[in-house]
Amino acid sequence: MTHPDYRVGTWKADPVHSEIAFSVRHLMLSNVRGRFTRYDVTINTGEDMSESSITTTIELASIDTGNQPRDEHLRSADYLDVQHHSVMSYRSTGIRRDGDGWVVDGELTLHGITRSVSLTSQVNGFAADPFGGRRAGFSATAKISRREFGIGAALPLDGGGVAVGDTVAISLEIEAVLQQ
């Protein structure tokens, strides 16, 4: 990485300036969006960006779609089953250049099942903050199949399609702080 403010070290996501969000098709008509409000993201940057690593733990009970009854249903055994599977975790296994961006290959563990998931990523920059610290910005996206993780039934609709789509789009906007 050739950025004047790039630093080797351990970075932690600032939850006030970061977001882990998702969207999924509902009734084959629209996308329902939500986010997780409690998580830990650690990024260890190496001498070269490809030598870096990422670990993430997300508290599934922190799901927030803006609708309390829906959130409670998503926490239930019908979907996330937070009573038995309280966290989702991601661990990178490699980082590689892809054009102007990066691909983070890794393992996502959700609902007791681990699958390979690649994140299409961008490094948004590195900078000093007004308080004497250092910050970095990262964006990433991925799509997963909820059924591959054993989540939720495919409830068919009379006219075709399903009530809740299988593909879940994930987006991460991470502003991380260099740890001292």
Side-chain angles (χ1 to χ4, degrees), residues 38-51:
R38 291 188 307 273
Y39 49 83
D40 178 68
V41 177
T42 302
I43 302 162
N44 290 298
T45 51
E47 289 295 331
D48 183 87
M49 194 66 166
S50 64
E51 299 167 354

Side-chain angles (χ1 to χ4, degrees), residues 102 104 119-124 137-141 171-174:
W102 298 86
V104 178
L119 300 168
T120 301
S121 306
Q122 293 292 320
V123 176
N124 299 327
F138 305 93
S139 299
T141 60
S171 65
L172 297 94
E173 290 295 330
I174 304 297

Side-chain angles (χ1 to χ4, degrees), residues 68-81 155:
Q68 188 64 29
R70 178 175 47 218
D71 295 346
E72 289 303 321
H73 189 208
L74 291 171
R75 290 182 189 110
S76 78
D78 288 347
Y79 289 97
L80 296 175
D81 193 10
L155 303 172

Side-chain angles (χ1 to χ4, degrees), residues 4 63-64 72 79-80 85-86 97 99 102 113 117 170 180:
I63 194 166
D64 179 6
E72 289 303 321
Y79 289 97
L80 296 175
H85 305 285
S86 61
R97 193 69 137 139
W102 298 86
I113 298 170
V117 172
I170 300 168
Q180 301 300 334

Side-chain angles (χ1 to χ4, degrees), residues 21-23 31 108 115-120 140-146 148-149 166-172:
F22 65 90
S23 67
N31 285 314
L108 176 67
R115 298 270 189 255
S116 294
V117 172
S118 295
L119 300 168
T120 301
T141 60
K143 290 185 179 180
I144 63 169
S145 162
R146 65 183 177 84
E148 285 185 8
F149 289 93
D166 177 50
T167 301
V168 179
I170 300 168
S171 65
L172 297 94

Side-chain angles (χ1 to χ4, degrees), residues 5-77:
D5 290 311
Y6 181 83
R7 298 288 187 273
V8 172
T10 299
W11 304 76
K12 290 281 201 178
D14 173 359
V16 174
H17 297 102
S18 299
E19 181 178 66
I20 298 177
F22 65 90
S23 67
V24 65
R25 224 40 173 161
H26 181 252
L27 300 178
M28 307 304 291
L29 297 172
S30 64
N31 285 314
V32 171
R33 300 178 191 290
R35 63 191 180 105
F36 293 95
T37 60
R38 291 188 307 273
Y39 49 83
D40 178 68
V41 177
T42 302
I43 302 162
N44 290 298
T45 51
E47 289 295 331
D48 183 87
M49 194 66 166
S50 64
E51 299 167 354
S52 301
S53 65
I54 300 162
T55 57
T56 303
T57 303
I58 300 167
E59 292 181 36
L60 295 175
S62 75
I63 194 166
D64 179 6
T65 65
N67 181 284
Q68 188 64 29
R70 178 175 47 218
D71 295 346
E72 289 303 321
H73 189 208
L74 291 171
R75 290 182 189 110
S76 78

